[in-house]
């Protein structure tokens, strides 16, 4: 139903990756450029984008209409030439408005804390879904901002309490899995009326294909995380919405929300 992307790119060489995926699916999309963003200077950032030939940032592709969007800049955490943004949308579903978020953080609590606060401050009656590449393992201080402080649930962990769920450092040309860390997540953030339910979750985009010349190629250097969640309060008819977490690789790094 909804796909969250990180490091989605837009440029003259490859076009807008999120727009291309949305067109193939017949979905709606939004994209916001996070990089290059040099020292908060529009002039320097524009020159860098021109030299590189592209910009990159989070995007959301949705089967449901996108009723509103917002993009919040995150703290730099000392990285003056590396910008991060949180992309927020309100989706118009048959059961009412649903908030979804896509982001790519540095793995530092100085960024995940404001992300958690942003999501909580905009809480509606239904749960929200936050997807992203957080560059942080599950027991880190950065992820604790979501789980221990904000009360968000990790969809994959709820559905798979004993599985490692490794998602990152897949060698794109290697014949076997090389993932070694878990940094990609789908979080379910409780709403004012409903906390929602995690129905299932699993890794996706985690097997290789072949190029025309027979060489091995993986979809990304990250695996995706698919989560099927119920977002309608128990007093109404249940409806599942599936959210797949992030898949990162140059030039595109998707997280999906179905």
């Amino acid at each position: 139903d909804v796909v969250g992307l990180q490091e989605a790119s837009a440029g003259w060489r490859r076009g807008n990756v999120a727009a291309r995926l949305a067109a193939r699916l017949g979905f709606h999309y939004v994209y916001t450029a996070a990089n290059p963003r040099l020292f908060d200077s529009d002039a320097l950032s524009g020159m860098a984008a021109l030299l590189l030939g592209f910009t990159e940032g989070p995007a959301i592709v949705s089967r449901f209409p996108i009723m509103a969007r917002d993009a919040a800049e995150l703290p730099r955490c000392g990285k003056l030439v590396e910008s991060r943004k949180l992309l927020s949308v309100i989706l118009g579903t048959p059961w009412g408005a649903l908030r979804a978020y896509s982001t790519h953080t540095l793995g530092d609590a100085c960024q995940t804390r404001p992300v958690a606060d942003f999501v909580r401050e905009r809480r509606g009656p239904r749960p929200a879904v936050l997807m992203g590449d957080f560059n942080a393992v599950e027991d880190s201080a950065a992820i604790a901002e979501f789980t221990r402080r904000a009360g968000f649930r990790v969809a994959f962990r709820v559905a798979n309490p004993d599985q490692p769920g490794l998602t990152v450092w897949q060698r794109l040309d290697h014949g076997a899995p090389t993932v070694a860390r878990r940094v990609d997540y789908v979080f379910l953030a409780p709403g004012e009326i409903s906390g929602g339910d995690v129905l299932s979750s699993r890794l996706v985009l985690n097997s290789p294909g072949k190029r025309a010349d027979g060489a091995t190629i993986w979809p990304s250097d990250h695996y995706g995380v698919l989560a099927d969640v119920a977002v309608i309060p128990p007093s109404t008819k249940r409806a599942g919405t599936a959210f797949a977490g992030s898949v990162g690789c140059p030039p595109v790094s998707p997280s999906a929300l179905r």
Side-chain angles (χ1 to χ4, degrees), residues 18-227:
R20 190 163 71 243
L21 290 172
R24 290 287 298 272
L25 293 166
F27 281 17
H28 311 272
Y29 86 96
V30 292
Y31 162 77
T32 185
N35 285 296
R37 182 69 179 160
L38 303 179
F39 307 103
D40 291 328
S41 166
D42 291 337
L44 287 176
S45 301
M47 290 175 60
L50 185 63
L51 289 172
L52 291 171
F54 71 96
T55 61
E56 69 83 18
I60 291 177
V61 177
S62 172
R63 181 168 67 87
F64 306 115
I66 297 169
M67 311 304 293
R69 58 160 289 175
D70 188 19
E73 289 202 29
L74 302 180
R76 296 284 183 129
C77 303
K79 305 288 186 179
L80 296 180
V81 296
E82 197 167 0
S83 178
R84 294 288 187 268
K85 285 186 178 181
L86 172 66
L87 180 62
S88 166
V89 300
I90 298 176
L91 306 174
T93 81
W95 314 282
L98 176 69
R99 285 190 176 271
Y101 303 86
S102 178
T103 193
H104 176 206
T105 74
L106 294 168
D108 195 308
C110 80
Q111 285 186 339
T112 58
R113 186 178 304 115
V115 169
D117 290 342
F118 189 101
V119 175
R120 286 200 305 176
E121 288 166 4
R122 287 154 182 80
R123 184 173 60 168
R126 299 174 183 83
V129 177
L130 168 66
M131 305 165 289
D133 169 3
F134 293 92
N135 280 306
V137 296
E138 203 162 350
D139 60 355
S140 65
I143 299 303
E145 291 293 329
F146 300 124
T147 55
R148 291 202 290 271
R149 192 175 72 89
F152 297 178
R153 284 180 288 166
V154 180
F156 184 87
R157 185 57 58 223
V158 172
N160 307 279
D162 301 319
Q163 293 185 25
L166 306 177
T167 63
V168 72
W169 293 342
Q170 176 60 51
R171 287 179 52 186
L172 297 181
D173 60 352
H174 202 269
T178 61
V179 288
R181 296 179 76 219
R182 172 172 169 73
V183 302
D184 304 285
Y185 304 89
V186 177
F187 293 101
L188 189 61
E192 294 173 340
I193 295 175
S194 171
D197 292 318
V198 176
L199 305 180
S200 65
S201 184
R202 61 185 174 89
L203 299 181
V204 294
L205 300 176
N206 57 343
S207 60
K210 295 290 184 181
R211 296 184 185 271
D213 62 2
T216 297
I217 182 67
W218 291 73
S220 168
D221 64 342
H222 291 232
Y223 295 168
V225 184
L226 178 70

